[in-house]
Amino acid sequence: MLMVGIVFITNMVLFLGPGSQALDVLNAISTTGDFPSFPAVRCRCFSYPFEILCSWPEPLRSQPTHYLATYSERHINADIKVCQMIPPGSSSPVLTTTPSSSLSEQLWHCHLPNQKLLTEYILNITAVHSGGSSSYLTSFLLEDIVQPDPPVNITLSPLTTKTLLVEWSPPPTWSSIDIFPLKYHIRYRWETKGNPVSVNQEKVSCREVHTAQRRWTECTFKWGLSEDTKAKLKGLVPGRTYRLQVCAEEFLGLGKCSEWSSPELITMPKTQ
């Protein structure tokens, strides 16, 4: 019954045709019990165009759940392939830069290797347990889900009391950096105790950020190509503590920027 349900739903989506909009469809297949809604699935291409990783959280229910994930190109008679499943807590080379947290340790992952440029894919994930099953169907264009992993090896070096050198390394999972270069953004913030501070620098945009107990000024500095893995931040205030992060984005702007790197703190020297 399970295989019949999967084939039925896959064919139903294919009949919609290549001109249809991206799908996020939730269906119950042969459900005989009270099965909860399928958790949200997030797919991203972390190494364009070769590697896609789809992830979703482990359900809170106690019944053991088995997952079957398949994918195909979105056209009639496309070959259906089985996605490589990575259970929560497992080690895998594609997870080497995934942030370690209690949430990420409870994520299921589905790895789709060796994908094609300018190609739309259909993903079908079916969850099965003793009470029944449910499926999650989605389609996406490869270029729309590009998102690199964060840069690594962030180092901060004051050059003067007002100038800071920021250096980093590209995400190691971005395997084709010579063909598909990256551009970077630097985000830095400091606590604001008085009036907002104006920052007037080229390629820098700032905004006020308020939390429950603090007020911050947060600035984003748009940097250049992958060859430029360092930047100078000028006009900083001696003695002020800054919190800096870096994100990576495909150079042509495909998809979106990576998650921000882990924050680095530095207090600018008061004297040189």
Side-chain angles (χ1 to χ4, degrees), residues 119-140:
T119 302
E120 189 172 7
Y121 289 92
I122 294 175
L123 176 69
N124 179 1
I125 304 175
T126 298
V128 183
H129 76 103
S130 58
S133 64
S134 66
S135 281
Y136 179 92
L137 302 176
T138 187
S139 69
F140 51 80

Side-chain angles (χ1 to χ4, degrees), residues 199-268:
V199 178
N200 185 17
Q201 294 185 40
E202 185 180 1
K203 299 182 180 179
V204 176
S205 59
C206 299
R207 66 188 182 104
E208 292 297 310
V209 178
H210 298 270
T211 60
Q213 298 178 343
R214 296 183 180 182
R215 186 174 67 181
W216 303 81
T217 297
E218 180 178 278
C219 299
T220 302
F221 181 55
K222 297 182 180 180
W223 199 233
L225 282 170
S226 56
E227 290 82 0
D228 301 322
T229 55
K230 59 182 178 181
K232 291 180 182 179
L233 298 182
K234 301 179 180 181
L236 304 183
V237 177
R240 176 177 287 168
T241 298
Y242 292 91
R243 179 180 185 266
L244 291 94
Q245 297 169 284
V246 185
C247 77
E249 183 181 11
E250 196 276 331
F251 181 65
L252 296 179
L254 298 178
K256 61 181 180 179
C257 209
S258 71
E259 300 290 341
W260 290 101
S261 63
S262 299
E264 301 287 342
L265 295 177
I266 188 167
T267 301
M268 296 300 293

Side-chain angles (χ1 to χ4, degrees), residues 158-208:
L159 300 180
T160 69
T161 57
K162 297 183 178 181
T163 302
L164 179 67
L165 177 64
V166 184
E167 300 177 276
W168 60 89
S169 299
T173 49
W174 192 265
S175 57
S176 301
I177 197 166
D178 294 334
I179 304 174
F180 301 103
L182 297 171
K183 58 184 177 182
Y184 300 95
H185 305 271
I186 301 172
R187 182 172 73 178
Y188 59 103
R189 61 162 54 177
W190 63 92
E191 188 172 357
T192 304
K193 296 182 180 179
N195 295 325
V197 179
S198 174
V199 178
N200 185 17
Q201 294 185 40
E202 185 180 1
K203 299 182 180 179
V204 176
S205 59
C206 299
R207 66 188 182 104
E208 292 297 310

Side-chain angles (χ1 to χ4, degrees), residues 10-25:
T10 301
N11 287 341
M12 180 185 67
V13 176
L14 288 174
F15 289 152
L16 293 176
S20 302
Q21 298 294 321
L23 302 174
D24 276 303
V25 183

